[in-house]
Amino acid sequence: MSNTAKLTLEGKEYELPVVVGSENEKAIDITRLRAQTGYITLDTGYMNTGATRSAITYLDGEQGILRYRGIPIEDLAEKSTFVETSYLLLHGELPTQEQWKRFSNLLTYHSMIHEDMIRFFDGYPATAHPMAILSSMVCSLSAYYPESLNVFENMDMQSTRLLSKLRTIAAFSYKKSVGQPMMYPQNHLSYCANFLHMMFATPAERYEPDPDMVRALNILLILHADHEQNCSTSTVRLVGSSQANLFASVSAGICALWGPLHGGANQAVIEMLEEMQQTKLSCKEFVSQVKDKKAKVRLMGFGHRVYKNYDPRAKILKQMAQVILNKKGVNDPMLQLAQELEEAALSDPFFIERKLYPNVDFYSGLLYKAMGIPVNMFTVMFAIGRLPGWIAQCKEMMEDPENKIGRPRQIYTGPTERHYTALADRK
Ligand code: CMC
C-alpha cells in the first residue's frame, strides 16, 4: 500500500505522507500542507483532526473498544485499582510490587493541602458549584509550589501532589457546602477509602468506609481515567503546550470538563430523570420531545463523538448499578426509569439511525447517588477519575521532542479592510 496520499489542487498534484498507528489507524499528515499549497484544512469541532500521536489510550468507537496502554478497560475494571491504573497510564506499564508500594506511599504522604489554602474555602459562598472551587484551588496550588513553574523539572513530584491533593480539595469543597468541619486524610486508608472518609466522616462519630463502596469507587474512577483526545484532555494539552505549569493546565481541563456536553452530563442525567419523575413524563413522551429539534432537548448521557456503538464503560456501569443497589437492598426507582428510557431510545429509529447509545454518564450518577455523593459533586468525581489521564497526556506531550505550541488556524469571514470613522460622524 502506498504510504503517501495524492492531492490535486488547482491542477497541481501534491503528495502527502500517510501515518499508520499500531492498531492500523491511518492519517494523512498535513503539517506541511500550507507551506506547500497555501491551503489549510477546515475541521470545525476537530471532528476529523488528529492532534497528536499518543501511546496512552486506544479507542475504537465503531467496535466499542477502550484500552489503556493496551489493556482492555474490562480487565482493569475487574482486577485493578485506581492507583495501579493511574501508574499504568503515567508510566506505560503496570507497576512491580516495589514500584506500586512507592507510588502508593507517595500518594498517601502528599494528601494534605497547605493550611493557608484551607482558608480559601471560607471565601466561597455556600452555593458555589464545587467545580468552580476545584478549578481555582488546583490553579492556586502553583502558588504554593513555585518550583512547578519550571515544567521540565519535578514533573513526577507535581503529578503525585496533584493526584493526591485533588481528592482532598474535592472532599473539603463538599464539607464546606454542607457546613461540616473538614476531615483530614488518614494515612492508614487506601486512596478511595480515604476520599470516602474525608467526605462522610464527622468528628462526632466513627466512620468505616464500606468495602463495596470502596470497590465501586475504584471501578468508577478507573472507567473515567483516560479517554484519549477528548475536550478536557485537548484543553490540558493546549494550555500545557505553551509550557504553562501542570496545575494551570489541569485547572483549565477541569473547566472544560464542567460543561453539560462533556463531564457535566452526569449531573444533567440525574436532573433530567428527576424532572421526568416530577412531571410524570413517560419515556415515550420524553423521547418524542428529544426528537423534536425545535424543543432543543437532548437525551443526556446518550450519544458520543467517537462511540457509534455501546460505550464499554456504560455497559460495565449499568451492570454495576444493579449489583450495588441490590447488595445495599436499595430499590431506586430512578434506575428502573433509566433502564426504561434506554430501552425506549434504543428501539427508536431516531437513535438507531444516528447510532446514539448510552455513554459513561448515563449510569454513573446512579452509582454516585447510591454512595451518598450529592448531584453537584458528580462532575468533580469525573475530574478525580480523569486526572491521571490528563497528567499522562501532558507528560507525554512535554517529553515529545517534536512538541509545538498548539495554535490552530482559521478561515476569516469578517469584513475586508475599511476605515475608522470618528464617533461624532457615526449614525
Ligand atoms: N439526544 C438527542 N439527539 C442527539 C444526542 C442526544 N443526546 N446526541 C446526538 N444527537 C443527534 C444530534 O441532534 C444530531 O442529529 P442530526 O444529525 O439530525 O443533526 C446527531 O445526533 C449528531 O449529533 P452531534 O451533536 O452533531 O454529535 P457530536 O459528536 O457533535 O456530539 C455529544 C457528541 C456527546 C456532544 C452529543 O451526543 C450530546 O450532546 N450528548 C448528550 C450530552 C452527553 O451525554 N455528553 C457526555 C458525553 S460522554 C462523556 C464525555 O466524555 O464527555
Side-chain angles (χ1 to χ4, degrees):
M1 197 183 69
S2 161
N3 58 356
T4 58
K6 285 200 172 64
L7 173 73
T8 308
L9 272 175
E10 296 168 4
K12 215 171 152 202
E13 200 166 87
Y14 301 90
E15 284 206 26
L16 300 167
V18 164
V19 178
V20 183
S22 54
E23 290 282 353
N24 209 26
E25 287 186 302
K26 300 182 193 87
I28 300 167
D29 181 349
I30 51 112
T31 327
R32 292 194 32 77
L33 184 69
R34 187 169 178 277
Q36 286 175 327
T37 67
Y39 281 68
I40 62 163
T41 54
L42 183 62
D43 182 19
T44 310
Y46 309 118
M47 303 271 288
N48 201 37
T49 292
T52 185
R53 290 174 168 89
S54 178
I56 300 171
T57 289
Y58 174 66
L59 201 174
D60 180 334
E62 272 74 31
Q63 307 284 332
I65 293 173
L66 175 63
R67 299 183 199 132
Y68 299 159
R69 303 285 190 182
I71 304 181
I73 192 68
E74 294 81 3
D75 233 13
L76 291 166
E78 190 190 335
K79 298 170 193 151
S80 185
T81 61
F82 178 60
V83 168
E84 189 185 45
T85 297
S86 300
Y87 186 98
L88 171 72
L89 286 167
L90 290 169
H91 299 285
E93 295 296 335
L94 288 167
T96 61
Q97 287 183 32
E98 196 51 44
Q99 287 165 335
W100 181 84
K101 207 181 284 172
R102 196 180 123 69
F103 186 59
S104 245
N105 280 342
L106 278 170
L107 293 183
T108 297
Y109 291 105
H110 287 278
S111 57
M112 308 260 274
I113 57 173
H114 195 290
E115 281 294 305
D116 288 353
M117 279 188 81
I118 292 176
R119 288 205 292 274
F120 291 9
F121 289 96
D122 295 333
Y124 291 98
T127 50
H129 195 288
M131 285 295 275
I133 301 181
L134 196 73
S135 60
S136 34
M137 293 295 264
V138 166
C139 198
S140 300
L141 285 173
S142 52
Y144 288 84
Y145 300 102
E147 67 273 26
S148 68
L149 303 186
N150 184 345
V151 285
F152 295 105
E153 280 173 26
N154 314 304
M155 182 75 166
D156 279 346
M157 183 43 92
Q158 306 319 333
S159 308
T160 309
R161 284 192 173 123
L162 191 47
L163 268 174
S164 188
K165 293 179 200 309
L166 193 76
R167 72 198 150 144
T168 312
I169 296 171
F172 282 13
S173 72
Y174 167 67
K175 286 296 198 193
K176 157 80 191 169
S177 73
V178 289
Q180 285 183 7
M182 283 153 192
M183 296 300 292
Y184 283 66
Q186 301 246 323
N187 286 351
H188 70 281
L189 292 172
S190 69
Y191 188 94
C192 288
N194 219 342
F195 174 71
L196 293 176
H197 154 80
M198 287 189 275
M199 286 285 291
F200 301 120
T202 67
E205 56 191 334
R206 240 181 107 76
Y207 173 82
E208 287 295 334
D210 175 340
D212 284 341
M213 291 303 168
V214 173
R215 184 64 207 142
L217 183 57
N218 267 289
I219 297 173
L220 274 156
L221 298 184
I222 290 170
L223 295 180
H224 286 84
D226 194 46
H227 213 234
E228 50 116 305
Q229 309 312 315
N230 55 84
C231 174
S232 56
T233 303
S234 300
T235 302
V236 171
R237 276 189 178 256
L238 194 59
V239 175
S241 77
S242 74
Q243 298 179 5
N245 69 77
L246 182 68
F247 301 127
S249 304
V250 167
S251 166
I254 292 171
C255 292
L257 185 75
W258 193 356
L261 297 189
H262 191 9
N266 56 13
Q267 174 172 345
V269 168
I270 297 294
E271 287 166 352
M272 169 186 79
L273 295 172
E274 272 170 359
E275 202 181 318
M276 284 179 71
Q277 284 177 328
Q278 279 159 16
T279 55
K280 301 205 176 357
L281 202 66
S282 74
C283 294
K284 223 170 149 202
E285 286 166 328
F286 185 72
V287 166
S288 298
Q289 264 190 20
V290 168
K291 291 190 315 187
D292 173 11
K293 290 280 176 74
K294 278 188 253 127
K296 291 198 184 321
V297 178
R298 286 215 159 187
L299 175 47
M300 300 312 284
F302 253 71
H304 200 276
R305 171 63 59 78
V306 186
Y307 289 118
K308 301 302 163 202
N309 201 329
Y310 213 107
D311 180 337
R313 303 166 300 174
K315 214 178 266 177
I316 298 170
L317 290 173
K318 183 182 179 183
Q319 272 178 1
M320 207 168 108
Q322 191 71 70
V323 170
I324 289 286
L325 292 180
N326 284 350
K327 228 173 175 174
K328 297 281 130 207
V330 176
N331 180 20
D332 186 350
M334 208 177 254
L335 175 62
Q336 205 187 333
L337 177 61
Q339 286 166 341
E340 282 169 17
L341 189 54
E342 177 192 335
E343 227 176 277
L346 291 185
S347 56
D348 192 288
F350 177 94
F351 289 84
I352 297 169
E353 278 158 23
R354 289 169 181 77
K355 299 188 176 158
L356 302 171
Y357 292 88
N359 59 50
V360 70
D361 293 316
F362 197 67
Y363 286 104
S364 61
L366 288 156
L367 279 152
Y368 291 134
K369 214 167 141 257
M371 282 176 189
I373 292 170
V375 176
N376 70 353
M377 281 286 289
F378 288 1
T379 313
V380 169
M381 301 308 297
F382 194 147
I384 298 174
R386 184 55 52 87
L387 183 61
W390 287 333
I391 299 174
Q393 300 270 351
C394 204
K395 189 165 170 268
E396 181 178 67
M397 182 185 67
M398 295 295 182
E399 288 168 0
D400 179 357
E402 286 179 20
N403 173 42
K404 286 190 182 300
I405 186 167
R407 205 308 185 181
R409 287 188 176 264
Q410 64 165 17
I411 295 294
Y412 175 68
T413 59
T416 53
E417 189 180 12
R418 53 193 179 144
H419 294 287
Y420 177 83
T421 48
L423 181 58
D425 297 337
R426 273 178 252 153
K427 299 256 160 33

